[in-house]
Amino acid sequence: MTAPPYRRALVIKLQHHGDVLLTSPVISTLAAAGVEVDALVFEETKPMLAGHPALSRLFGITRKGHKAYGLLGWLRAEWQLLRALRAREYDLVVHLTKRRRGAWLVRLLRPRVSVAPDALPDRFWRKSFTHRYFELQGERHMIEVHLDAVRHIGVQPTEASRRLTLALEPETVASVRALLAEAGLAPGGYIHVHPTSRWMFKAWSAEKMAAVIDTLTAAGEQVVLSASPSADEMAMIHAINARLQRPVLDLSGKLTLKQLGALIADAKLWFGLDSAPMHMAAALGTPTVAIFGPTGECKWRPWHVPHRIVAAPEYLCRPCFRAGCGDGLVSDCLESLPVEAALRAIRELGEEVGRPIALAPAVIRLMPRSDC
């Protein structure tokens, strides 16, 4: 199909870090169709798209509004942003979230074509956009759902444009390799474990994470830990370290987002939860083993990278997308996962990609796999 003649597009994704990274194929697809592409995201998530080779301009917007700048400061910042966006004269706006802020922007920018999810039933939402696409749920990956937005207006993705993109600056890579060298580690010589998430109800127990790490280090593997500096994530890291029989290199709370990407890119294998770093690993081509509990691997699994999912398919209630069973922050589908399931996935994936992991088959009990 020949794409309509869009000249310049604005892609809006006002959500969290991993969600923003998953929009990179939309940017690539529009650019491949000859469209100049800008993006608007929350300020703190800009590193996920910064440096994307198909992106012309990257704009940030505050999540906290007047709470961050005060009322006058916020209004001034909003007016400056609107002026900058209007100066770009977009003829296409692709809004990929259900936030009304994007609907207001579309009304103020007045592009010739605008598209958003057919998600909110009210008249204001429906009348804000020229096109609305249906968000097919179930087993359709979120990247394909995003791409449905541009398919709906006549722009078809290619196999190349469907891939995730995360750009790393050479100086960032060099800074992380220097940290690793100080610990005697070389690129490709370690397993990266990121056992935390913004949503800690997704997390496996500290005891089981420590058991996996101890089994790996006992077999001679080098392990590097990471987490964000948030209090909840650092508490989990402290609990894991307190249970380890052998110390590992712990870079938790010490890295920028792009430095975390460099650490992931140089890893032999990545192991962790359904999280933004999991999507970063997929974007960077690092073989990935991911634990899934209440969230769904069919919709959020690692994209276009060798991977294994560790999940409990016998729980027919999952994915429930709840904060634990009964919203009690503890999920039975996570609590029931044995250490052996993760070890088996790590060993199998290492063999598949030609990066063997030093684990004897005898220590790993076979577990059923997820279908996705």
Side-chain angles (χ1 to χ4, degrees), residues 67-106:
K67 295 180 181 179
Y69 298 124
L71 181 58
L72 289 178
W74 172 60
L75 291 174
R76 188 181 301 111
E78 292 286 293
W79 174 244
Q80 290 173 347
L81 174 64
L82 180 59
R83 288 183 62 188
L85 294 176
R86 277 180 168 170
R88 298 291 284 162
E89 298 180 342
Y90 301 111
D91 55 358
L92 170 64
V93 174
V94 181
H95 182 39
L96 296 173
T97 44
K98 302 167 188 177
R99 294 180 180 268
R100 297 184 190 279
R101 201 170 187 178
W104 278 110
L105 271 173
V106 166

Side-chain angles (χ1 to χ4, degrees), residues 18 66 105-106 173 205 260 268 288 303 350:
H66 63 86
L105 271 173
V106 166
V173 174
S205 70
L260 177 63
K268 181 178 184 178
T288 298
W303 183 250

Side-chain angles (χ1 to χ4, degrees), residues 215-238:
T215 304
L216 291 170
T217 57
E221 296 291 342
Q222 300 292 326
V223 172
V224 179
L225 269 176
S226 68
S228 88
S230 76
D232 287 347
E233 295 192 36
M234 293 304 293
M236 171 64 84
I237 294 297
H238 177 76

